[in-house]
Amino acid sequence: MKHYALITGASSGLGTEFARQLCKDGYSLILVARRMDRLEAIKRELAPEGRDIQIIAADLSSTSGCEKVMEQLQELPIDLLINNAGFGDCGVFSETMLSKDLQMIDVNIKAMHTLMKRMLPKMHKQGYGSILNVASSAGLLPAGPYMATYYATKAYVASLTRAVAREEKERNSGIYIGALCPGPVDTEFNRVANVEFALKGITPSYCVSYALKKMKQKKTVIVPTFALKCATTMGRFLPQKLLVQITGHQQKKKIYH
């Protein structure tokens, strides 16, 4: 029996790295992204591994794009969903583009929510499965001035993941639900978000290998670096007003560096 992993946002960054590592771990893959040419290139790269690799070109910013993915998966058992599609933007809220904000909400929140909502009943019926929602350390903080919409979308991902993980635990479903909350990772995210990070980024390879290890340990919230673990833990003891001010100061450097 083949073990399938569904990866969204698979055409670059963490999505591509999840594909590489899961393929080596023996998974057959279903790769989803907007850019068919990139998906085909990844399929060619991984073909020597001898796995079944299926690609689906879909725009997850639309409900129809999400439904297209689910329709093509009806007959396949899905062991693992990596809900990775997402992007950010940096700037003063009153000056950034509304259209980009709304598309960010559609991808970071609505697509993640839709696929998770549709996949869980399928996994319940199967009797097994795992879902990893790719959030951000930003989602563990109260707010992020100068990346306001992005922080808000990732807070939604972290909150929803924690809640659903608890529900699944209480019903003893055996289905794993987790959120990956990295800080800066050296991917295309920086270019799309118009941002230069103040902190040194980690490699996609390290981030993904760490996430997969913690998934096996059934960790709900996965933070890949010690420094960010300390920062998010210490943040619980600071007044939220002060923490938002500190976060905003760091984010502002990305615009006016």
Side-chain angles (χ1 to χ4, degrees):
M1 180 178 175
K2 291 179 180 178
H3 297 279
Y4 283 96
L6 168 63
I7 306 169
T8 67
S11 62
S12 64
L14 289 179
T16 299
E17 188 58 34
F18 269 111
R20 290 176 178 135
Q21 294 195 27
L22 288 170
C23 190
K24 288 181 179 178
D25 283 348
Y27 281 88
S28 295
L29 303 177
I30 303 156
L31 308 179
V32 180
R34 289 182 298 111
R35 295 169 286 191
M36 178 59 81
D37 58 333
R38 286 206 174 189
L39 290 173
E40 289 173 340
I42 296 164
K43 183 175 180 177
R44 287 192 299 271
E45 175 192 335
L46 299 179
E49 297 289 339
R51 311 297 177 199
D52 178 13
I53 301 173
Q54 302 184 31
I55 56 178
I56 303 174
D59 182 359
L60 297 182
S61 67
S62 68
T63 301
S64 61
C66 295
E67 293 300 326
K68 175 184 176 181
V69 172
M70 291 306 303
E71 285 172 7
Q72 295 192 38
L73 302 179
Q74 286 182 0
E75 304 303 320
L76 292 177
I78 305 299
D79 292 61
L80 173 59
L81 165 62
I82 305 292
N83 236 336
N84 170 69
F87 68 94
D89 194 20
C90 187
V92 179
F93 181 79
S94 62
E95 298 173 1
T96 52
M97 294 174 59
L98 175 60
S99 59
K100 193 170 184 179
D101 280 358
L102 295 179
Q103 187 181 22
M104 198 188 314
I105 291 168
D106 286 340
V107 176
N108 294 11
I109 293 179
K110 291 174 67 176
M112 180 278 307
H113 187 116
T114 300
L115 293 176
M116 185 178 180
K117 187 89 167 178
R118 294 290 303 277
M119 191 60 69
L120 260 178
K122 181 180 178 69
M123 289 180 172
H124 287 155
K125 189 174 180 179
Q126 293 174 174
Y128 62 89
S130 299
I131 297 174
L132 182 70
N133 296 320
V134 178
S136 167
S137 57
L140 304 178
L141 297 169
Y146 305 101
M147 288 188 80
T149 304
Y150 176 73
Y151 270 63
T153 64
K154 292 306 182 179
Y156 183 98
V157 177
S159 176
L160 184 71
T161 301
R162 284 168 159 157
V164 178
R166 185 63 201 175
E167 291 177 4
E168 294 304 308
K169 185 173 182 179
E170 290 188 1
R171 70 186 292 173
N172 295 314
S173 71
I175 294 171
Y176 166 81
I177 309 288
L180 174 59
C181 299
V185 183
D186 296 328
T187 68
E188 289 183 3
F189 178 94
N190 302 16
R191 178 180 55 78
V192 175
N194 300 314
V195 63
E196 291 185 15
F197 287 116
L199 298 175
K200 180 177 173 57
I202 61 175
T203 66
S205 176
Y206 173 79
C207 185
V208 168
S209 62
Y210 186 88
L212 293 175
K213 181 175 75 171
K214 292 302 178 180
M215 286 177 68
K216 292 175 182 176
Q217 297 171 5
K218 306 299 181 184
K219 183 75 172 173
T220 301
V221 177
I222 301 169
V223 182
T225 61
F226 179 74
L228 281 171
K229 286 178 188 175
C230 292
T232 53
T233 299
M234 289 299 296
R236 300 174 195 168
F237 303 100
L238 293 175
Q240 287 205 349
K241 183 177 180 181
L242 176 59
L243 188 54
V244 172
Q245 182 180 346
I246 293 170
T247 305
H249 177 72
Q250 289 300 113
Q251 298 303 105
K252 197 172 184 179
K253 292 179 182 178
K254 299 171 184 177
I255 308 173
Y256 303 111
H257 66 280

